[in-house]
Amino acid sequence: MNRILIAEDEPRIVSFLEKGLRANGYTTTTATNADEVISMTLNDSFDLLLLDLGLPGKDGLTVLEELRGQGATVAIIILTARDEINDKVAGLEGGADDYLTKPFRFEELLARIRLRMRNQQRTTIKEEIELSVGEVILNLRTRRVEWKNKDIELSAREFILLETLIRHRGQVMSREQLLDRVWGYDYDPGSNIVDVYVGYLRKKLSSDLIETVRGMGYRLRG
Ligand code: CA
């Protein structure tokens, strides 16, 4: 359950998706126009299709209809620009399983992909509710954070940054990786926002929770 077809014509988004998905153990193939997407989906066995609605060749919803009309059962997640918002509803009715509005966070996409893959497998998997490291506990459902049994107020961004670091505990995360995962690909890569937010987390939690690895990035201890 790990073959994904990326149907997207914007090279920057393609490389963002390929990089992230491969790093998470998926095998990816890319199609950049509507006809390619249709023939590849029908002639190969992908577990999931990420479908950009604005592809050259045919309208994305037509692609969707053709695929379902010809019996494709692959899970489909639509990637759509904000101004195509009306298409989203039509997209779900036309046979997509889910959709995401661009720009999106990679972690968000990954969560949806995992959910789809699990549904495809028809297995019952207990929903992940809490993440913890040392004395920090993140409740993913209520978005509450506890540290040493006290509630800590974090902004949405701080929460996602901490969540990302916890999910990769012990690993060095570069500023670029953190920008990608927490702020999305639309962020200026030269920005120092990661450092600023790491500073916020250190102040609100513990100053030695997040280690600076010189010239490389950050690592959560634990
Ligand atoms: Ca496009």
Side-chain angles (χ1 to χ4, degrees):
M1 291 303 287
N2 67 354
R3 300 193 62 217
I4 297 180
L5 178 60
I6 300 171
E8 171 64 66
D9 60 316
E10 163 76 52
R12 200 160 139 256
I13 302 179
V14 169
S15 96
F16 167 74
L17 291 172
E18 280 179 343
K19 216 168 51 181
L21 291 171
R22 287 177 186 170
N24 281 278
Y26 294 102
T27 306
T28 66
T29 306
T30 301
T32 54
N33 69 64
D35 289 332
E36 225 175 79
V37 175
I38 294 171
S39 72
M40 286 167 88
T41 307
L42 295 174
N43 294 316
D44 207 336
S45 54
F46 292 99
D47 300 305
L48 189 128
L49 167 62
L50 289 179
L51 178 63
D52 168 31
L53 281 189
L55 281 176
K58 277 176 189 149
D59 168 54
L61 293 178
T62 310
V63 173
L64 196 57
E65 273 164 27
E66 280 190 32
L67 288 176
R68 291 306 191 212
Q70 297 198 47
T73 55
V74 64
I76 301 177
I77 298 179
I78 284 179
L79 304 177
T80 176
R82 277 188 203 287
D83 55 5
E84 293 167 331
I85 205 135
N86 286 332
D87 287 349
K88 288 207 263 189
V89 180
L92 292 173
E93 281 168 3
D97 298 281
D98 203 350
Y99 61 80
L100 265 182
T101 307
K102 297 175 188 174
F104 49 82
R105 284 192 302 114
F106 186 77
E107 294 292 330
E108 166 89 347
L109 175 67
L110 197 58
R112 307 261 186 125
I113 288 175
R114 287 184 174 143
L115 181 68
R116 285 301 133 202
M117 296 287 197
R118 290 206 296 249
N119 287 353
Q120 291 277 94
Q121 284 176 304
R122 293 174 206 284
T123 50
T124 7
I125 290 169
K126 216 169 63 185
E127 197 71 37
E128 185 180 37
I129 299 171
E130 278 188 355
L131 272 181
S132 64
V133 61
E135 292 175 290
V136 184
I137 301 171
L138 261 69
N139 187 310
L140 300 173
R141 191 171 290 165
T142 60
R143 315 299 279 180
R144 278 181 50 195
V145 180
E146 262 182 47
W147 180 58
K148 293 192 171 174
N149 299 319
K150 283 181 306 196
D151 279 345
I152 306 292
E153 288 284 329
L154 293 188
S155 70
R157 233 28 132 174
E158 289 164 355
F159 188 96
I160 297 163
L161 177 60
L162 184 57
E163 180 186 343
T164 305
L165 288 167
I166 291 180
R167 287 190 190 280
H168 298 89
R169 77 189 69 169
Q171 254 173 271
V172 180
M173 298 289 286
S174 69
R175 285 175 181 78
E176 196 186 51
Q177 283 174 316
L178 291 169
L179 270 177
D180 260 6
R181 282 155 200 261
V182 181
W183 282 269
Y185 54 84
D186 258 0
Y187 222 86
D188 168 17
S191 159
N192 71 340
I193 195 148
V194 173
D195 312 86
V196 171
Y197 272 75
V198 165
Y200 293 159
L201 287 179
R202 283 176 173 155
K203 207 168 284 176
K204 288 186 178 182
L205 297 156
S206 153
S207 61
D208 53 30
L209 182 68
I210 302 165
E211 184 187 352
T212 303
V213 182
R214 198 178 290 265
M216 293 178 75
Y218 293 104
R219 174 167 53 203
L220 193 91
R221 294 179 205 268

